Amino acid sequence: MIAILAALHLAAVAGLAVYGLLGFVTLWLYLRHRGAAAAPLPAPRDWPRVTVQLPVYNEREVVARLLAAAAALDYPRDRLQIQLLDDSTDDTTALAATWVAHHRAAGLDIHLLHRGNRQGFKAGALEAGLAEADGEFIAIFDADFVPAPSFLRQTIPHLVA
């Protein structure tokens, strides 16, 4: 009986030692390769159409910033569609409509989709937006997230390669 317990103890200690050793191997690999940058993928010949969905609900403090960040995305304008999916019950909708009109006047394919009900909450708004989306790919950014302008140019080549 004691021999069985000793063997189990020894097996557990050996397993923990291997686990700890793998942590050191991971650290060594990180330190060895941390300065090496991955080779960027070549840009696609034909960039696919992308729909950016921005679901909001009573977020008047951040909607202008969100729309400005979406409008600043570095992606071919003729291949980009932006949908502001608004379920707001406060003055966010009026503020958003002003900013959407501003960005549309600048040549951006941007639309404000306001639902009268909150069925499904933000997921329901995303589903309703999909019915009008024409992108091959969908990017969803919540209202408190500000994407970097290069986000789509860095992401899409990985998806079409």
Side-chain angles (χ1 to χ4, degrees):
M1 181 69 166
I2 292 180
I4 293 174
L5 290 176
L8 285 175
H9 179 72
L10 187 60
V13 168
L16 289 172
V18 169
Y19 183 73
L21 182 62
L22 289 175
F24 283 117
V25 169
T26 303
L27 177 63
W28 175 76
L29 287 171
Y30 166 74
L31 293 174
R32 183 173 172 214
H33 297 288
R34 68 179 163 195
L41 289 174
R45 250 187 256 172
D46 295 319
W47 288 93
R49 187 132 172 91
V50 174
T51 298
V52 175
Q53 292 187 322
L54 311 169
V56 296
Y57 173 69
N58 292 349
E59 298 177 89
R60 70 178 312 278
E61 292 83 15
V62 297
V63 72
R65 180 189 71 186
L66 176 65
L67 288 170
L73 287 169
D74 178 25
Y75 199 75
R77 290 294 182 222
D78 63 324
R79 312 299 296 154
L80 180 66
Q81 175 190 36
I82 299 174
Q83 295 179 332
L84 182 64
L85 309 172
D86 181 31
D87 285 352
S88 298
T89 57
D90 64 357
D91 62 341
T92 301
T93 305
L95 180 62
T98 302
W99 283 106
V100 166
H102 168 77
H103 291 299
R104 186 178 297 128
L108 198 58
D109 181 10
I110 185 169
H111 306 277
L112 171 64
L113 303 172
H114 181 75
R115 296 189 312 155
N117 64 53
R118 296 215 53 229
Q119 184 177 353
F121 304 102
K122 283 189 177 181
L126 292 168
E127 182 181 19
L130 278 178
E132 298 185 30
D134 60 5
E136 297 172 55
F137 294 97
I138 307 293
I140 302 170
F141 302 122
D142 196 36
D144 56 353
F145 179 73
V146 179
S150 62
F151 178 83
L152 293 176
R153 284 208 181 256
Q154 291 177 347
T155 305
I156 295 298
H158 293 278
L159 301 174
V160 297

